[in-house]
Amino acid sequence: MTPFWPAFWRGFRALVPLWLGVIPFAVAYAVTARAAGLSVWETQLMSLTVFAGASQFAAAGLFAGGASAWGIVATTFLLNARHVLYGLSLARQVPLTRPQRVLAAQFLTDEAYGVAVVKGVREPGGLSFGFLLGAELSLYAVWNVATFAGALAGGVLPDPAALGVGVIFPLAFLGLLVPLLIDRKAVLVALASGLGAWGLARVLPGGLVVLLAGVGGALLGAFLVTRKARA
């Protein structure tokens, strides 16, 4: 069994390079939430409990527009639907007790999942709960610190979009994807999923796009693998 704390700190450090992209967007969320009428405490509470960047942005905008509670919940659900796929994938790679599953699910993000499946599986003994939780809490910590700073001083900070920080996350995920492209099947699945996501993004919300593109890519990958096995 992999010792918990050494694996935890390796997972924590693995997410540090992505802090550069997380901090501006946490600040931008805080500014948006404050402009929507949320107090500093309410802005911070959402980061502490929801911890989902796209959903928090959407919720802040809906608050500003006077949307109903059900509308906010439904939007948040659609944006986070992709986490179902993440959970199914992780369940196959790391043994977790029920309490560990609940804890890991609460702090799971796109970035933590990506780093876990690329770097965590290279850990001695494979991906462990310690590495996964360390990666998750690394992002959770910096997101909440930046949220608080943005809620207090957001009015004097520049717009993150104007700084071009939006390119950081796509490049980071591209860097995580490339090592997984080990054969032609992987390349084909990646291309098909990317093109499918691009097309779906024109008519569907982001979370649902990732879910459908992920399911489609998984089915295509399973088909290619089983076809080769039967040949």
Side-chain angles (χ1 to χ4, degrees):
M1 180 180 294
T2 304
F4 177 84
W5 286 112
F8 176 92
W9 289 116
R10 286 194 295 270
F12 192 95
R13 291 192 298 269
L15 264 292
V16 170
L18 295 182
W19 286 10
L20 183 62
V22 171
I23 292 173
F25 283 105
V27 171
Y29 150 70
V31 173
T32 302
R34 295 287 283 131
L38 274 68
S39 67
V40 172
W41 165 242
E42 291 167 336
T43 299
Q44 189 67 46
L45 183 62
M46 195 184 299
S47 277
L48 289 168
T49 56
V50 178
F51 185 44
S55 296
Q56 290 180 228
F57 268 107
L62 291 171
F63 274 122
S68 67
W70 283 113
I72 295 172
V73 170
T75 300
T76 301
F77 174 80
L78 287 176
L79 289 172
N80 286 327
R82 64 192 183 278
H83 286 77
V84 175
L85 291 179
Y86 297 162
L88 292 173
S89 173
L90 289 172
R92 299 180 56 190
Q93 300 183 56
V94 55
L96 298 173
T97 65
R98 183 169 297 179
Q100 288 174 342
R101 288 177 186 273
V102 172
L103 191 60
Q106 170 61 25
F107 298 109
L108 184 61
T109 61
D110 302 319
E111 298 80 11
Y113 171 77
V115 169
V117 298
V118 173
K119 296 185 178 180
V121 294
R122 301 174 187 171
E123 284 277 290
L127 178 59
S128 66
F129 173 66
F131 185 96
L132 176 61
L133 188 63
E136 292 177 340
L137 292 186
S138 178
L139 220 60
Y140 183 75
V142 72
W143 177 266
N144 277 279
V145 170
T147 292
F148 187 64
L152 292 178
V156 299
L157 297 174
D159 181 3
L163 302 178
V165 297
V167 74
I168 294 174
F169 282 139
L171 289 178
F173 279 107
L174 183 62
L176 294 173
L177 172 65
V178 170
L180 299 177
L181 304 179
I182 57 177
D183 54 31
R184 285 184 293 180
K185 292 193 297 294
V187 173
L188 178 60
V189 170
L191 286 174
S193 299
L195 290 173
W198 176 78
L200 290 171
R202 295 173 172 268
V203 295
L204 295 173
L208 194 56
V209 169
V210 177
L211 179 64
L212 294 176
V215 170
L219 291 175
L220 176 59
F223 170 76
L224 294 175
V225 171
T226 55
R227 186 183 69 169
K228 182 178 180 180
R230 292 173 183 172

